[in-house]
Amino acid sequence: MTAGAARPPASVVLATANPGKLAELARILADEHADVTLASLADFPCAPEVTETGATFAENALLKAHAIAEFTQLPTVSDDSGLCVDALNGMPGVLSARWSGRHGDDEANLRLVLGQVADVPDERRGARFVCVAALVLPGGGEHVTEGVVTGRLIREPRGENGFGYDPIFVPDGYDITTAEMAPADKDKISHRGRALRALAPVIRRSLR
Ligand code: IMP
């Protein structure tokens, strides 16, 4: 490199193959003026599969970030999220993606939760989406942030956007579900948006 040439942007791996999450983190880092090149697991096809065995969102996020940082030797960001229902003592929580027994079966998971809270009256149908985002540096160092959006569960699914439990979740201050929101509007209030926005300045500082 010639003297005075600009430093190349630092690389960060997002421990997901989900292009939607990658685009969201890229938008948030750009808003934070973080000069970062993002890679995802799609760029590391031999990366280890990490099973989410943790008891908390933070444990799972750190588990994934540590495994991928060790494999790639690059700063790694990961997240873990789920729905916590008051009337179910905070479940499905870390089991949100496999609540019905089949990992990723959004429709079955949603139907099971709706059935479980069928007799719960309106005033006790509180719930929240939680996301924990983690940054792990390969040379040592980790940082964790949390984002939460509180709301309530309705009785019949509404809306076509989003995924997972979005069709039955109405955030506080709204009367539409997160599946009825435009994706950019959901991003602004979402648990993931909040956790990643809190992590973005930490990423920027860590890569200086
Ligand atoms: P993961 O963090 O991508 O592993 O997501 C865990 C699970 O939580 C998903 O499969 C969904 O069931 C649920 N979940 C997490 N975030 C959301 C959301 O924004 N909307 C609806 N469901 C979500």
Side-chain angles (χ1 to χ4, degrees):
M1 192 189 299
T2 54
R7 263 196 314 169
S11 288
V12 170
V13 181
L14 181 62
T16 179
N18 179 332
K21 282 190 186 177
L22 198 66
E24 187 177 4
L25 182 60
R27 277 198 306 275
I28 290 170
L29 288 174
D31 287 348
E32 275 292 320
H33 306 290
D35 195 12
V36 163
T37 302
L38 274 181
S40 81
L41 290 185
D43 301 302
F44 297 94
C46 297
E49 284 251 347
V50 184
T51 311
E52 297 179 348
T53 52
T56 63
F57 295 116
E59 273 177 45
N60 280 337
L62 284 168
L63 211 62
K64 282 186 275 188
H66 274 286
I68 301 304
E70 189 174 324
F71 179 82
T72 60
Q73 287 300 301
L74 288 168
T76 299
V77 172
S78 78
D79 76 309
D80 193 42
S81 61
L83 177 74
C84 300
V85 177
D86 297 347
L88 299 177
N89 291 328
M91 302 305 278
V94 291
L95 303 177
S96 291
R98 56 201 129 125
W99 191 233
S100 64
R102 261 217 318 274
H103 198 282
D105 190 340
D106 282 2
E107 176 68 19
N109 291 336
L110 176 155
R111 288 282 162 202
L112 182 55
V113 167
L114 269 190
Q116 287 165 328
V117 297
D119 293 336
V120 176
D122 289 351
E123 63 275 18
R124 287 199 288 108
R125 295 180 69 89
R128 63 201 180 279
F129 279 127
V130 179
C131 175
V132 170
L135 168 71
V136 168
L137 304 173
E142 61 181 42
H143 194 95
V144 164
T145 57
E146 184 179 86
V148 178
V149 54
T150 56
R152 65 193 162 83
L153 299 184
I154 55 170
R155 294 178 187 277
E156 282 299 327
R158 285 190 339 228
E160 304 296 327
N161 297 331
F163 67 103
Y165 301 93
D166 279 328
I168 57 170
F169 182 81
V170 173
D172 287 340
Y174 289 80
D175 52 18
I176 55 172
T177 67
T178 39
E180 293 174 303
M181 288 183 169
D185 292 339
K186 182 187 161 191
D187 275 6
K188 283 183 205 141
I189 60 152
S190 85
H191 48 313
R192 194 168 3 266
R194 286 176 173 159
L196 291 176
R197 273 193 295 275
L199 196 63
V202 183
I203 297 173
R204 199 187 52 208
R205 282 197 302 274
S206 305
L207 300 182
R208 255 189 214 140

